[in-house]
Structures are given as C-alpha cells and as structure tokens.
Amino acid sequence: MTYEFLQHYWCFIVSLLGALLVFLLFVQGANSVARSLGYTEEGRRLVYNSTGRKWEFTFTTLVTFGGAFFASFPLFYSTSFGGAYWLWMIILFTFVLQAVSYEFQNKIGNILGPKTFQFFLTLNGIVGPLLLGGAVATFFEGSNFIVAKNNMIDAGAITPIISRWANASHGLDALLNPWVLVLGFAVVFLARVLGILYVMNNVADEDIRSRGSVRLVGAAVPFLVLFVAYLAHVLLKDGFAYNAEGVIYMEPYKYLNNFLEMWYLLVVLLMGVLMVLYGIGKTIFSKSYVGGIWPAGIGTVLTVLALLLCSAWNNTAYYPSTADLQSSLTLANSCSSEFTLRTMFWVSLLVPFVLAYIIYAWRAIDSKKLTKEELHSDDHAY
C-alpha cells in the first residue's frame, strides 16, 4: 500500500459516505412534502412516523462523513468546517431542530403546538438538502479561502492559523453563485423524489400511494431539469488541475476529461442515472409498483459517488480556492500522514460489519408496513 493508494482509498471512503448521505436525505425530502403527501392530519402522522424511523441513520451518516473527512483530510476539515462555519452551523442547527421536532410535536405539554414542530421538519427538509447540495457544488465551483501553511513555522504565532476565509460571509457567499444554487435545488428535489418513493414503499395506505404518484411527477421533472443542466455545466467548464510539482492550474474540460480517462467512473455514473430514471418511471407508470426507492436509491449512491470521485481523482483539486488558486486543496496537499492513513485502513475493515448491522436493523424496522392502526397502538408513535 503506497501513500498515493491510501490517499485515493480514503477519498473513495469519504465519497461513499457522502453518496450514502445524499440517499438518506429521503427523510428530509419526505418531510418537505408531508403536508401534501398526507392530506389529513392522520396522513401527515403516517409520513412523519415513516421517516421518523430513519432520521437517526441520516444524522449519524452526516456526523460520520465529517469525522472521516477530519481524520483523513484534516486541512479540508479545518478550511471548510472552520472557515465556512455559518454554512455548516445552519445545516447542523436544522438537523437538531429535526430531532427535537420528532420527539415533541405530539407530546403532552407541547405549548407550541404540533404545527410548529411540523414547520421545523419542513424547514429542515428544504434547508438541509439545499445547503448540503450547495456544499457539494463548491467541489466544482470553488470557495473563497486562503491557505498559508507557512504560518505553522511562525515563531511569533501562539496559535497559528493555517487557513482562513477571505471574507466575512464564512461560506454563505457560495450561495451567490447561480450554479451552486442549481445543484442545491437539484438535491432538494432529488430528496423529495426519494422521500416520496420511500413513503410509498413503507406506508400501507392507498390514499398516500395514489397521491404520491402525482407528487412524484412534480418533484422528478424539476430535479431532472436542474441535474442535467448542472451536469452539462460541469462537463463543459474549465476544471482545477495540478501537475507533478503540485502547481494548480485551470484545464479546459477537466471534468469531461476525467470521465473519459477514468471510463469506469463514467460507467458508474451512467448506471446510476439509468437506475434513478427506472425507479421514477416504473413507479409513475405502474400503479401496483411501490419498490422504486431501491433502484432510485442505489442509482443515487452510484451517481453521487462518481461525481465526487471525478472532482478529486486524476490530479484534480477537489476543493478549489477562488481567492488564491494555489491554496486549492488536493489529495496530495491536504491529507493526513501515511501512518495515520495506514492505521485507519485496517480499522476501516470493520466497516462491512457495521453495514451488515445497519442492513439488519433496517430490515427489522421495515419488516412490517406502517398503517393507521399502528399510530394508535404504538406508544412510541410520533
């Protein structure tokens, strides 16, 4: 195992966690359309109880994603999570609101009323995917930061600051880039698509399933338009490359070249897109089919994984700086030491056992479809 192999290996692991996180945003997506998907109060409770069984998976994956980035690429963690802290704080705040809202919306003594906490769930369902999608877009569009590693050897600095944001917005300036918003809203509608598909599969209620087919069209069309537009933009734009000396420069059609040179990523991308389209299309045109979440979910993971790897592999700066091109982060200049990556490699061999437990727990939770009767018989219903 060479140092370069370990860098690419951990880039793959982090990208896979990011792809799984985007899939698990179906919780936020379903919550954002709960009021129209479940037309009655009882219908809305069915939606919230369906997603309420899975919100811990999303939150845990988000934390694990951040932890893996911190351990394997600490300079990215300090630059993005430390510099763009307003962006990440808003994301985390909405997820905390989500956890509180699930537990307290129907509790005795709730002076704010159920609708207040349901509003918080809707807020998380829109803001969370929007900002997370915007954060992913910065891997292609760049962010406004400066890295000065020489500060580490500054004898006069008590607490040397290696990286800093170049303005006072601390990450919110990314939302001024229209293409960041395009991908952000694409993720919002993708989360809605996945959320509708999941609820249709998990809830045994004909009214919700019939309404879900209609709502699915309304979410799928804007998602496809926004995603195709952003994908075309990425393939045709200049990308951030670096040479053997570590000098970063702009390369025309960099991301298109990456897919052509790493043809296996292109295959994964196309497979993912086709699976998402299959899951959506069969659900819309087949009244009896409710398993669309699985091909669409797997397709989402494959598509996001291919895009994230395209932004980092093949001598590509995965976190470009728009303030100082040479401050851009690459796998070579931002990763942990070889000893750390090698040690974590052996620890990562336990991941399949963790995934096996998650699959087991998921199957146990979803072994029985959720019904209206369960709302009244379950003491732990939301």
Side-chain angles (χ1 to χ4, degrees):
M1 292 185 295
T2 65
Y3 192 23
E4 183 179 3
F5 166 80
L6 290 170
Q7 291 169 351
H8 284 74
Y9 172 80
W10 277 103
C11 176
F12 173 81
I13 295 296
V14 171
S15 298
L16 180 59
L17 287 170
L20 290 172
L21 175 60
V22 174
F23 160 64
L24 290 170
L25 289 177
F26 72 77
V27 173
Q28 281 64 38
N31 289 342
S32 70
V33 294
R35 299 190 69 83
S36 60
L37 195 58
Y39 185 70
T40 64
E41 183 61 34
E42 194 174 40
R44 287 192 288 272
R45 286 197 65 194
L46 279 172
V47 175
Y48 292 134
N49 276 270
S50 176
T51 60
R53 299 176 174 186
K54 296 295 187 296
W55 72 265
E56 293 96 338
F57 288 102
T58 310
F59 194 84
T60 302
T61 305
L62 174 62
V63 174
T64 306
F65 172 73
F69 241 137
F70 170 74
S72 53
F73 300 97
L75 188 53
F76 168 83
Y77 189 90
S78 65
T79 301
S80 181
F81 290 81
Y85 59 79
W86 279 123
L87 182 69
W88 290 107
M89 285 298 291
I90 293 173
I91 292 174
L92 291 174
F93 179 71
T94 62
F95 273 88
V96 171
L97 275 181
Q98 177 200 54
V100 173
S101 299
Y102 273 122
E103 295 298 331
F104 289 97
Q105 61 175 314
N106 289 306
K107 293 293 184 182
I108 298 175
N110 170 19
I111 60 175
L112 297 178
K115 290 186 178 180
T116 300
F117 290 106
Q118 291 173 6
F119 169 77
F120 290 153
L121 290 174
T122 303
L123 182 68
N124 170 252
I126 298 174
V127 175
L130 174 64
L131 296 185
L132 284 172
V136 171
T138 61
F139 293 163
F140 297 97
E141 307 302 324
S143 295
N144 204 6
F145 64 89
I146 297 174
V147 174
K149 291 186 177 181
N150 291 333
N151 289 347
M152 295 182 63
I153 58 176
D154 185 359
I158 300 176
T159 55
I161 299 176
I162 302 175
S163 58
R164 61 181 177 85
W165 218 250
N167 56 49
S169 69
H170 294 291
L172 296 180
D173 54 301
L175 300 178
L176 298 177
N177 185 332
W179 287 111
V180 169
L181 292 176
V182 167
L183 186 59
F185 280 109
V187 174
V188 169
F189 286 106
L190 171 62
R192 289 189 173 189
V193 167
L194 296 175
I196 294 169
L197 291 174
Y198 175 76
V199 171
M200 290 178 66
N201 176 261
N202 183 245
V203 176
D205 185 84
E206 287 303 320
D207 182 57
I208 286 181
R209 286 179 175 177
S210 61
R211 296 175 68 84
S213 297
V214 178
R215 299 298 180 273
L216 184 58
V217 175
V221 171
F223 159 66
L224 292 174
V225 171
L226 291 168
F227 176 74
V228 170
Y230 190 78
L231 182 61
H233 162 71
V234 165
L235 296 179
L236 297 177
K237 76 186 295 290
D238 294 346
F240 301 82
Y242 65 95
N243 57 26
E245 289 73 34
V247 177
I248 294 147
Y249 62 95
M250 301 302 298
E251 178 182 319
Y253 306 109
K254 172 59 178 172
Y255 303 108
L256 176 60
N257 294 334
N258 281 357
F259 277 121
L260 294 178
E261 294 173 15
M262 298 183 290
W263 57 268
Y264 42 89
L265 289 186
L266 180 59
V267 172
V268 171
L269 176 70
L270 293 177
M271 286 178 56
V273 171
L274 290 176
M275 291 182 72
V276 171
L277 293 175
Y278 174 81
I280 295 172
K282 187 169 183 181
T283 303
I284 292 174
F285 294 108
S286 175
K287 294 182 179 180
S288 60
Y289 182 71
V290 294
I293 180 60
W294 304 120
I298 296 172
T300 296
V301 172
L302 294 178
T303 302
V304 177
L305 177 62
L307 287 173
L308 291 177
L309 292 178
C310 176
S311 73
W313 283 1
N314 197 33
N315 296 330
T316 309
Y318 70 88
Y319 199 50
S321 171
T322 56
D324 174 28
L325 189 61
Q326 300 310 313
S327 291
S328 302
L329 304 186
T330 68
L331 297 186
N333 68 15
S334 65
C335 67
S336 294
S337 66
E338 182 176 0
F339 173 80
T340 301
L341 296 183
R342 188 180 298 274
T343 303
M344 292 196 304
F345 171 83
W346 297 112
V347 176
S348 72
L349 296 181
L350 297 174
V351 170
F353 297 97
V354 177
L355 289 177
Y357 172 76
I358 292 174
I359 294 172
Y360 170 78
W362 187 298
R363 288 176 63 88
I365 293 172
D366 283 359
S367 60
K368 182 180 179 182
K369 302 298 183 183
L370 185 62
T371 62
K372 293 180 180 179
E373 290 73 21
E374 189 173 340
L375 293 180
H376 304 291
S377 60
D378 189 356
D379 295 334
H380 299 286
Y382 294 111

